[in-house]
Amino acid sequence: MQQSSRAVLEVVSLGLKSYSSALRVQQSYIAQHLEGRGKNVMLLCEHPPVYTIGQRQASYTPSEERRLKLLGAEFVHTNRGGNITFHGPGQLVCYPILDLACFQNSVRWYVGALERTGIQLCREFGIESSTSPPHVGVWVRDNKICAIGCATRMHSGHYITSHGMALNCNTDMTWFKHIVPCGIVGKGVTSLTAELGRTVTTAESTPYLLEAFRQQFNCLIVEGEKEHGDNQPDFDYLT
C-alpha cells in the first residue's frame, strides 16, 4: 500500500493530566468528528492516582468508593467498557480518538488490534504475552500488563472511538491490591519493570508503543500540537 493511502495519526502528548481533564480533551476531539472536521489522534498521558470504573459497576457501593478515596486516589465513573481499574504515575495511557472508517469499521477488529499492539510492544522488550479470552487485555501468564477499555460512538454509519489502553511500565502496583482489577477474580497484574527486573519508564516505552501501533493500524504517525499537562514535561516520543 502506498503511504498516501494510509490514515494519518496525530500523536498529542498531555503529560501528567488528571483523568477528568483528559476526558474533556477526548470529548473535544470526539465533538470535532461529530461536526465533520475530525482527525485521528492518539492522546498520550499519565494520570495522578485514580480508580476508574466502567459500565459494569454494580458491585461498587458508595462506601467502597469512599474507602478508595481515603487512600488518596480519585474515583471516577466512566462510559468505557469493563469494570474497575487503576491509573497512576508510571503507567502509559493511550487514548486513540479514531474514525474506524479510516481503518476497519469493526469494534471487534479494533479491540483485537489494540491487544496485538500491546503484545508486539511486550515482544520488543523480550516479554512473552498473550490474550486471555474471554477477558480483554494483554497478559503475562495470569497477570495483566496492559488493560484495554474502549467506548465507541456511531456517527454516519461508522464508529468513533475513545478511551483505550493502559500499559503498566513502572507503576506502583500496590494500588491494585485494594481492588479486584477489572473485576476478574484469580488473576493479577504486572508491569514491564516487574517482568524485567529493572525500571522501565513511560518515556522508554512510548516509541515502542507508537511503532507497534503504526504497524498494527497501518498508519502514518505525525506529531500533533502539544497540550499542557498538569505537572510533567511532555513525552519525547518521536525519535
Side-chain angles (χ1 to χ4, degrees):
M1 181 181 294
Q2 296 180 351
Q3 286 192 345
S4 60
S5 64
R6 296 181 184 176
V8 174
L9 179 70
E10 195 170 292
V11 179
V12 178
S13 173
L14 304 181
L16 182 67
K17 203 169 189 70
S18 72
Y19 187 86
S20 297
S21 295
L23 183 59
R24 288 193 291 271
V25 176
Q26 290 187 70
Q27 291 168 341
S28 70
Y29 281 105
I30 294 168
Q32 292 176 27
H33 280 285
L34 300 181
E35 295 165 0
R37 57 186 182 88
K39 54 188 175 181
N40 296 309
V41 301
M42 175 194 288
L43 307 177
L44 294 178
C45 65
E46 294 179 61
H47 294 306
V50 57
Y51 292 102
T52 69
I53 193 162
Q55 295 173 333
R56 296 199 304 273
Q57 55 185 273
S59 62
Y60 274 80
T61 64
S63 63
E64 289 174 310
E65 291 185 28
R66 287 193 294 271
R67 174 181 65 84
L68 295 175
K69 289 178 180 177
L70 287 174
L71 299 173
E74 290 188 272
F75 190 101
V76 180
H77 292 265
T78 78
N79 67 333
R80 62 163 172 78
N83 204 301
I84 192 166
T85 193
F86 170 78
H87 299 302
Q91 186 184 74
L92 178 57
V93 181
C94 168
Y95 295 130
I97 314 299
L98 309 179
D99 181 345
L100 287 187
C102 299
F103 303 91
Q104 187 166 323
N105 197 32
S106 163
V107 176
R108 178 174 293 184
W109 172 86
Y110 174 64
V111 173
L114 290 180
E115 290 178 321
R116 292 189 294 274
T117 297
I119 290 170
Q120 181 176 334
L121 180 151
C122 287
R123 187 182 305 121
E124 291 299 318
F125 279 97
I127 299 171
E128 288 299 319
S129 63
S130 64
T131 57
S132 183
H135 309 303
V136 176
V138 179
W139 300 78
V140 180
R141 300 173 299 279
D142 286 332
N143 297 317
K144 184 178 286 190
I145 196 168
C146 182
I148 293 173
C150 304
T152 57
R153 181 163 179 175
M154 180 67 75
H155 176 64
S156 300
H158 40 95
Y159 294 101
I160 308 300
T161 69
S162 59
H163 298 281
M165 57 195 299
L167 174 72
N168 294 325
C169 299
N170 60 329
T171 320
D172 180 355
M173 307 304 285
T174 60
W175 289 97
F176 288 98
K177 294 181 179 180
H178 303 285
I179 60 173
V180 179
C182 302
I184 303 172
V185 177
K187 290 182 179 285
V189 290
T190 189
S191 66
L192 295 176
T193 292
E195 293 300 317
L196 295 177
R198 67 172 182 85
T199 299
V200 181
T201 65
T202 56
E204 180 182 352
S205 306
T206 300
Y208 294 100
L209 172 68
L210 294 179
E211 177 58 20
F213 198 97
R214 183 190 69 79
Q215 292 186 30
Q216 295 298 328
F217 284 78
N218 191 32
C219 59
L220 295 173
I221 291 181
V222 300
E223 184 175 2
E225 294 182 4
K226 289 182 172 62
E227 298 271 349
H228 292 294
D230 294 337
N231 195 24
Q232 179 173 300
D234 295 320
F235 296 119
D236 182 14
Y237 50 81
L238 292 177
T239 58

